[in-house]
Amino acid sequence: MNDQEASLDQLRRTAAALLELSPHPPSGLRLRTGDLSVEVDWAQPAGPAGTPAIATNGVAPAAVAALSAVRDAVAAVRAPLLGTFYRASAPEAPPFVALGDRVEVGQQIGIVESMKLMNPVESDVAGEVLEVLVADGAPVEYDQVLLTVTTDRAVDGCAQSFGGKDSS
């Protein structure tokens, strides 16, 4: 599976999770693969005597919470300093993480060599590796995105918003 297919697969799974957690069917669903995006629209349920149920500013609280969860769905793991990025501890060793792997907070995902020092790079989020953006041995700048992770916050946020499944 190439990177684009993996991104599309992750996008599909995110949309499926949102739909599964919803208390009623959406009125619209849009998916994008360039820079990943999931948009779900829900029709507002009718209130007493058929009047629309309007929340503050016309937006349902559950929809606001769901949108926050989607916004948090993908996080970037960034280079902590400038240098050369290595995906593995040695040229013949397997990479620390690969596409689709689960990472935890504090787990080493690579090394940045700077001034002959090998500096471990650790993930600051938990989730699934969505995309590895830097090749092994490539130069990186400070704060450059090394990989993206589909975070657990998205699943947890949607579950809490809709009273659905717990991710534990």
Side-chain angles (χ1 to χ4, degrees):
M1 181 180 295
N2 66 33
D3 288 346
Q4 185 177 12
E5 290 171 336
S7 294
L8 183 57
D9 182 56
Q10 183 60 43
L11 194 63
R12 277 191 223 121
R13 285 187 284 154
T14 301
L18 281 172
L19 294 174
E20 183 178 316
L21 295 170
S22 174
H24 49 18
S27 61
L29 172 67
R30 287 174 291 287
L31 304 172
R32 290 184 203 135
T33 55
D35 288 329
L36 294 176
S37 179
V38 175
E39 297 176 39
V40 182
D41 296 323
W42 282 276
Q44 291 185 343
T51 60
I54 303 292
T56 308
N57 296 330
V59 179
V64 171
L67 290 174
S68 294
V70 171
R71 182 191 65 230
D72 292 339
V74 178
V77 177
R78 298 174 179 276
L81 68 163
L82 141 117
T84 303
F85 179 68
Y86 296 105
R87 294 187 59 206
S89 58
E92 65 281 347
F96 290 105
V97 295
L99 189 67
D101 285 356
R102 170 127 185 105
V103 294
E104 299 297 332
V105 173
Q107 178 180 340
Q108 186 170 358
I109 60 95
I111 296 170
V112 173
E113 178 185 9
S114 181
M115 298 178 66
K116 306 264 185 215
L117 294 174
M118 299 296 186
N119 302 282
V121 179
E122 297 176 347
S123 177
D124 54 353
V125 294
E128 184 178 312
V129 176
L130 179 62
E131 192 173 18
V132 178
L133 300 168
V134 178
D136 190 49
V140 294
E141 297 289 327
Y142 169 74
D143 209 35
Q144 179 178 341
V145 177
L146 303 172
L147 56 91
T148 56
V149 175
T150 303
T151 68
D152 293 342
R153 291 186 303 235
V155 175
D156 293 344
C158 286
Q160 291 170 1
S161 297
F162 296 111
K165 299 176 188 171
D166 186 13
S167 64
S168 53

